[in-house]
C-alpha cells in the first residue's frame, strides 16, 4: 500500500468526535459527517530544512490549500538497519504538528513505494514488476495494526489501467495521478477522460488526482523543464470545476541535499535542485505560478485573510578564494576510517557496507602499456562514474552507459586508482536493484584486472570533524599556481576556503547560492553540511541553494570542495562565488534524448501516460 490519508489528530481542531470516510453514494469524502473536498499541495520535509518548514507551510495555506501531501522516505529515517533517526531535519512529528497548528490536513504517503526521484525508494507499486498482492495485503494489515480503522487507506498509481492492475487492492481506495497538462500549448487534454482509469477501478466515490503536475523533474545533461502557467491553471480550473479532489505535485520541490537524488532508467540521475518549476521555488520564493493558482482556488473556496509571507531575501557574499589541498589518493589515512580491504575482484558499495558517496579501488598495471591500451568496463559495470589515475596522473573517466573504454599508458607495476562515484540510485522500473561501485570486472586489453585494494571513504565524516582543512595540515605540497592553461583532467582533489560575514550588518546571514566558475564537477560542503553535487559543465543546474541557517556571523564559514575532474586553480583563478540569483536552467552539454526503458517512446511520452 503506497499511501495513507492520515489526519494526524488534526481533525480534533474541528470536532469532538472527528471522522473521515468515503461516501460512495454521493461520490465524495465525508469529514465530520459533511461533504468534503481537499485541495492539496505536495511538500517533502526531507528536501527542506526544518527552520523553513513553517514558512513554506504558511505560504501553502495562504494559497488556499486545506491539505498538504508528504512522503516518508524510509531510508531518510533508517540509514542503518534497525537504527532510526527522527531528530532535527528528520523530525516528522514536529512537521506534522506544524501542519496541525497552521490548519492543514495531512495526506501521508509513508511508502515504501513513494517515487519522488529520491535515492532508491521506489515508484508507486503499480509501476513495479512484481505485482504481488500478498505483499500488498501484508502492508495493508501492517498499517491497520498501527493506525486502526479511523484513517482512509489508498493507493496511488499512474492513470493507465495497466498501472492500476498491480497497484490497487480490494478494500483500499484507488487514487490516480496524471500529467494531463503536459503539452506544448495551453489547451491541455480532456480532464474528464483523464479520470476514466480511476472510474475503471472505482466506479463510485470521490474523484481524486493525487499528482497534478505543476512542473516536472530535471536530469543532468537535459534542459531544465518549464511548464507554462497558463496550461497549469487551465487544467486545474477544469479539475476543480468537476468537483474533484486534487493534489498539486509539487507545490514546493526543495533540494536534494547531499546524495539524496534519485535516477531514472536508462541511467539518468537528477540534479541537486528539485525546484520542479513549482509555485514556490526551491528557496520558497513566490512565483507568478503561485499567484495564478491562488486565483483559481479563490473561485472555489475562501482564501485565508492576512499578510502573505514574503520571499526570503538573498545575499551575494561574493568570491571566496580557495586553496588546493590533497588528492583523494593522498588522503586515504584520513578518509578511510575502516582501512583497506584486499580482494581478487572488486566489491560493490553494498559489500563494503557503504551506502553513498565515493569508494577508491587500487590495483597495479600487470604489464607494460607503452602504447595506448584500452581500460574497459565491458559489461557496463561502472556504477556510476569512475575517475581513473595512473601513478597520480589523471587518465580519463569511465561513465555508465556513456564511456565504457579509455586508453591508458604506463609501466608494469604502475598504481591504478579508480575513484567510483555513486550518482544516485534508480527509483523507477525494473532496474531499481541498482548496486553501486565496480559491479563487474574491469579489463586491461583482453585481460581481467584483479588483486584490488579497496577503500571505503568516509568523506562526510572527515569534513564534519575538520580533518580536511589547511589549518589541520591537510594541504598539497605541489608547486604553486602557474599561468598555463588548466589541464583537461586532474585527479580528484580537495580544496578549501573560508569567508566571514560581518555581525554588524542587520538581517545577516541570508539565503544565498554558490556557483563554481570554470570548475567542472564535484561535491561541496559548507560548515560541514553536504550541500550537494555541482556539475555546471553538463548542466542545467549551475548554482546550488545555500540556506541561511548553514551560515554564521560569529565565526568564519568554511567551504570544502571535492573537484572530481578539473579546477581552474592551476591557471591562478581559484575561487567559488556566492550570488543572490539562482541559475538552474543553464546551457547543457547534451547527453542525448532521454528514453524510457520500458518502451521505445521518449520519457515525455511515458510521463504523459502516467
Amino acid at each position: 500500500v503506497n499511501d495513507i490519508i492520515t489526519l494526524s489528530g488534526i481533525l480534533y481542531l474541528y470536532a469532538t468526535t472527528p471522522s473521515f470516510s468515503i461516501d460512495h453514494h454521493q461520490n465524495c469524502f465525508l469529514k465530520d459527517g459533511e461533504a468534503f473536498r481537499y485541495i492539496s499541495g505536495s511538500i517533502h520535509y526531507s528536501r527542506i530544512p526544518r527552520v523553513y518548514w513553517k514558512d513554506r507551510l504558511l505560504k501553502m495555506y495562504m494559497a488556499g490549500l486545506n491539505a498538504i501531501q508528504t512522503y516518508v522516505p524510509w531510508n531518510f529515517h533508517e540509514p542503518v538497519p534497525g537504527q532510526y533517526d527522527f531528530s532535527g531535519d528528520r523530525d516528522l512529528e514536529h512537521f506534522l504538528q506544524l501542519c496541525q497548528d497552521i490548519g492543514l490536513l495531512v495526506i501521508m504517503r509513508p511508502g515504501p513505494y513513494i517515487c519522488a526521484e529520491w535515492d532508491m525508494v521506489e515508484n508507486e507499486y503499480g509501476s513495479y514488476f512484481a505485482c504481488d498482492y500478498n505483499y500488498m495485503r501484508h502492508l495493508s494489515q501492517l498499517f491497520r495494526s498501527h493506525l486502526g480503522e479511523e484513517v482512509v487507506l489508498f493507493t496511488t498509481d499512474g492513470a493507465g489501467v495497466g498501472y492500476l492492475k498491480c497497484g490497487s487492492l480490494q478494500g483500499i481506495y484507488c487514487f490516480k495521478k496524471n500529467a494531463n497538462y503536459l503539452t506544448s500549448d495551453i489547451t491541455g487534454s480532456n480532464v474528464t477522460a483523464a479520470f476514466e482509469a480511476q472510474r475503471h477501478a472505482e466506479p463510485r466515490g470521490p474523484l481524486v488526482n493525487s499528482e497534478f503536475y505543476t512542473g516536472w523533474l530535471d536530469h543532468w545533461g537535459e534542459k531544465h523543464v518549464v511548464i507554462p502557467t497558463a496550461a497549469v491553471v487551465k487544467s486545474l480550473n477544469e479539475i476543480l470545476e468537476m468537483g474533484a479532489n486534487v493534489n498539486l505535485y509539487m507545490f514546493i520541490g526543495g533540494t536534494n541535499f547531499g546524495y539524496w537524488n534519485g535516477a531514472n532508467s536508462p541511467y539518468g540521475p537528477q540534479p541537486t535542485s528539485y525546484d520542479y518549476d513549482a509555485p514556490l521555488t526551491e528557496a520558497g520564493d513566490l512565483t507568478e505560478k503561485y499567484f495564478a493558482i491562488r486565483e483559481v482556488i479563490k473561485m472555489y473556496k475562501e482564501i485565508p485573510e492576512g499578510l502573505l509571507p514574503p520571499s526570503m531575501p538573498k545575499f551575494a557574499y561574493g568570491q571566496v578564494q580557495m586553496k588546493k589541498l590533497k588528492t583523494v589518493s593522498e588522503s586515504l589515512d584520513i578518509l578511510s576510517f575502516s582501512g583497506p580491504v584486499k580482494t581478487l575482484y572488486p566489491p560493490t558499495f553494498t559489500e563494503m557496507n557503504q551506502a553513498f558517496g565515493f569508494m577508491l579501488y587500487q590495483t597495479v598495471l600487470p604489464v607494460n602499456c607503452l602504447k595506448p591500451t584500452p581500460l574497459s568496463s565491458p559489461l557496463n559495470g561502472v556504477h556510476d562514474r569512475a575517475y581513473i589515475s595512473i601513478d597520480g596522473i589523471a587518465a580519463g573517466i569511465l561513465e555508465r552507459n556513456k564511456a565504457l573504454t579509455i586508453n591508458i599508458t604506463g609501466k608494469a607495476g604502475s598504481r591504478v586508482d579508480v575513484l567510483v562515484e555513486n550518482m544516485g540510485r534508480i527509483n523507477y522500473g525494473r532496474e531499481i536493484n541498482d548496486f553501486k561501485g565496480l559491479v563487474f570486472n574491469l579489463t586491461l586489453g583482453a585481460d581481467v584486472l584483479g588483486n584490488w585494494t579497496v577503500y571505503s571513504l568516509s568523506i562526510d565524516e572527515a569534513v564534519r570533524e575538520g580533518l580536511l582543512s589547511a589549518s589541520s595540515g591537510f594541504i598539497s605540497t605541489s608547486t604553486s599556481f602557474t599561468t598555463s592553461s588548466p589541464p583537461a583532467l586532474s585527479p580528484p582533489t580537495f580544496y578549501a576556503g573560508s569567508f566571514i560575514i560581518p555581525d554588524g550588518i542587520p538581517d545577516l546571514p541570508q539565503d544565498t547560492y554558490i556557483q563554481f566558475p570554470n570548475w567542472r564537477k564535484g561535491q561541496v560542503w559548507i560548515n560541514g553540511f553536504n550541500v550537494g553535487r555541482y556539475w555546471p559543465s553538463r548542466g542545467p543546474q549551475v548554482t546550488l541553494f545555500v540556506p541561511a541557517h548553514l551560515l554564521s556571523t560569529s565565526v568564519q564559514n568554511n567551504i570544502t570542495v571535492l573537484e572530481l575532474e578539473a579546477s581552474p586553480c592551476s591557471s591562478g583563478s581559484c575561487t567559488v562565488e556566492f550570488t543572490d540569483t539562482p541559475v538552474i536552467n543553464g546551457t547543457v552539454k547534451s547527453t542525448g534524448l532521454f528514453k524510457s526503458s520500458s518502451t521505445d517512446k521518449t520519457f515525455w511520452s511515458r510521463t504523459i501516460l502516467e
Side-chain angles (χ1 to χ4, degrees):
V1 175
N2 309 340
D3 313 290
I4 300 175
I5 290 185
T6 175
L7 301 181
S8 307
I10 295 171
L11 286 182
Y12 287 100
L13 295 172
Y14 305 100
T16 305
T17 55
S19 64
F20 192 84
S21 61
I22 294 173
D23 188 327
H24 291 87
H25 179 70
Q26 298 186 69
N27 295 329
C28 69
F29 292 113
L30 292 179
K31 176 178 169 292
D32 303 333
E34 300 291 334
F36 174 77
R37 188 256 294 273
Y38 72 75
I39 304 174
S40 171
S42 282
I43 174 174
H44 301 156
Y45 64 93
S46 56
R47 285 185 161 118
I48 298 171
R50 172 182 173 138
V51 295
Y52 285 148
W53 287 349
K54 186 174 182 179
D55 173 79
R56 304 331 188 226
L57 290 170
L58 277 171
K59 289 170 179 171
M60 297 174 77
Y61 177 77
M62 294 301 294
L65 305 183
N66 56 8
I68 63 97
Q69 179 171 283
T70 195
Y71 292 132
V72 182
W74 63 267
N75 54 358
F76 191 60
H77 295 286
E78 191 182 6
V80 177
Q83 297 182 19
Y84 303 97
D85 186 356
F86 287 90
S87 63
D89 289 344
R90 293 169 169 80
D91 192 344
L92 174 59
E93 184 176 359
H94 177 68
F95 178 81
L96 297 176
Q97 184 64 54
L98 283 174
C99 294
Q100 175 172 333
D101 294 344
I102 291 169
L104 290 162
L105 303 179
V106 174
I107 304 170
M108 181 180 288
R109 299 177 63 175
Y113 293 85
I114 67 169
C115 187
E117 292 72 56
W118 188 261
D119 182 87
M120 204 166 103
V121 181
E122 228 284 333
N123 196 78
E124 294 88 357
Y125 197 68
S127 302
Y128 189 59
F129 61 86
C131 206
D132 187 341
Y133 295 109
N134 288 330
Y135 176 66
M136 295 275 283
R137 294 186 188 97
H138 163 74
L139 289 179
S140 173
Q141 293 166 4
L142 179 65
F143 286 131
R144 287 293 184 205
S145 70
H146 287 290
L147 301 171
E149 301 297 326
E150 293 77 21
V151 299
V152 174
L153 300 185
F154 69 98
T155 60
T156 286
D157 286 293
V161 173
Y163 294 109
L164 302 182
K165 176 183 177 182
C166 296
S168 59
L169 188 67
Q170 186 176 4
I172 306 296
Y173 200 69
C174 174
F175 288 8
K176 46 82 67 185
K177 63 179 186 178
N178 67 18
N180 60 340
Y181 66 87
L182 283 180
T183 60
S184 59
D185 56 35
I186 65 171
T187 59
S189 60
N190 191 302
V191 171
T192 302
F195 283 107
E196 289 180 357
Q198 183 185 359
R199 278 292 175 243
H200 177 82
E202 297 288 353
R204 304 290 300 178
L207 292 174
V208 177
N209 185 338
S210 63
E211 292 185 19
F212 172 71
Y213 300 127
T214 63
W216 195 243
L217 58 107
D218 287 339
H219 295 91
W220 289 117
E222 303 292 338
K223 291 182 178 179
H224 172 61
V225 181
V226 175
I227 302 301
T229 296
V232 175
V233 299
K234 179 181 184 297
S235 291
L236 176 61
N237 182 58
E238 293 175 1
I239 290 171
L240 296 179
E241 192 173 35
M242 292 178 62
N245 299 265
V246 64
N247 175 70
L248 288 81
Y249 187 106
M250 297 292 297
F251 205 89
I252 176 172
T255 309
N256 295 311
F257 293 114
Y259 309 111
W260 285 116
N261 67 277
N264 278 306
S265 177
Y267 192 72
Q270 279 87 41
T272 300
S273 173
Y274 197 67
D275 179 84
Y276 216 84
D277 194 35
L280 294 174
T281 70
E282 175 182 15
D285 294 343
L286 305 167
T287 67
E288 172 197 2
K289 189 174 289 184
Y290 174 93
F291 290 104
I293 287 173
R294 191 170 186 249
E295 289 301 309
V296 174
I297 295 174
K298 189 184 295 186
M299 296 166 56
Y300 296 92
K301 68 182 295 290
E302 186 176 348
I303 298 291
E305 296 181 357
L307 294 176
L308 185 63
S311 298
M312 293 289 184
K314 311 295 187 298
F315 196 86
Y317 299 102
Q319 293 185 344
V320 177
Q321 189 71 34
M322 302 297 288
K323 181 177 294 185
K324 183 180 179 181
L325 303 179
K326 294 183 178 181
T327 67
V328 170
S329 298
E330 293 171 333
S331 314
L332 296 178
D333 57 333
I334 292 174
L335 300 179
S336 182
F337 291 7
S338 56
V341 172
K342 295 186 180 297
T343 176
L344 180 59
Y345 299 117
T348 65
F349 272 50
T350 302
E351 290 167 328
M352 291 289 288
N353 198 30
Q354 180 165 338
F356 303 103
F358 305 84
M359 281 196 350
L360 183 69
Y361 299 76
Q362 285 186 343
T363 188
V364 298
L365 293 180
V367 296
N368 285 326
C369 298
L370 303 182
K371 295 182 178 180
T373 304
L375 176 66
S376 303
S377 173
L379 297 177
N380 201 19
V382 171
H383 287 194
D384 303 300
R385 228 164 179 259
Y387 307 88
I388 316 297
S389 299
I390 308 296
D391 283 338
I393 305 299
I397 298 172
L398 296 174
E399 183 174 358
R400 183 176 181 175
N401 293 348
K402 293 181 173 64
L404 304 187
T405 299
I406 61 171
N407 288 322
I408 64 170
T409 58
K411 297 180 180 179
S414 294
R415 191 184 81 234
V416 180
D417 290 341
V418 182
L419 181 69
V420 179
E421 178 185 15
N422 170 359
M423 283 285 293
R425 294 176 180 85
I426 290 174
N427 62 274
Y428 182 92
R430 291 179 174 269
E431 298 182 37
I432 64 165
N433 296 317
D434 191 12
F435 293 96
K436 297 301 182 181
L438 296 182
V439 301
F440 295 110
N441 295 317
L442 298 185
T443 59
L444 182 65
D447 300 322
V448 173
L449 280 177
N451 300 313
W452 293 91
T453 301
V454 187
Y455 296 85
S456 178
L457 303 182
S458 303
I459 298 177
D460 288 78
E461 291 83 352
V463 171
R464 284 197 297 267
E465 294 179 16
L467 303 179
L468 305 184
S469 66
S471 61
S472 67
F474 185 78
I475 191 167
S476 173
T477 57
S478 63
T479 58
S480 60
F481 298 140
T482 67
T483 57
S484 62
S485 300
L489 203 64
S490 300
T493 303
F494 291 100
Y495 298 80
S498 62
F499 67 103
I500 295 176
I501 302 174
D503 59 5
I505 301 178
D507 301 323
L508 289 184
Q510 293 176 357
D511 292 347
T512 188
Y513 301 90
I514 187 171
Q515 59 186 357
F516 302 83
N518 298 317
W519 300 68
R520 295 274 292 277
K521 184 184 190 302
Q523 203 84 20
V524 59
W525 294 260
I526 295 181
N527 290 331
F529 181 84
N530 191 333
V531 174
R533 312 174 197 270
Y534 65 90
W535 203 354
S537 61
R538 183 163 291 185
Q541 182 174 5
V542 175
T543 61
L544 272 65
F545 175 54
V546 181
H549 79 287
L550 298 180
L551 305 175
S552 174
T553 58
S554 58
V555 296
Q556 73 176 14
N557 295 278
N558 297 315
I559 307 168
T560 305
V561 170
L562 171 57
E563 170 57 50
L564 298 166
E565 296 186 6
S567 77
C569 294
S570 62
S571 60
S573 174
C574 195
T575 61
V576 298
E577 184 176 3
F578 289 94
T579 178
D580 56 7
T581 305
V583 180
I584 57 173
N585 59 347
T587 303
V588 300
K589 181 181 178 182
S590 177
T591 57
L593 186 63
F594 192 79
K595 296 284 188 178
S596 166
S597 61
S598 57
T599 74
D600 291 329
K601 300 177 181 178
T602 66
F603 184 68
W604 275 106
S605 297
R606 193 205 79 195
T607 57
I608 289 174
L609 290 174
E610 287 188 349

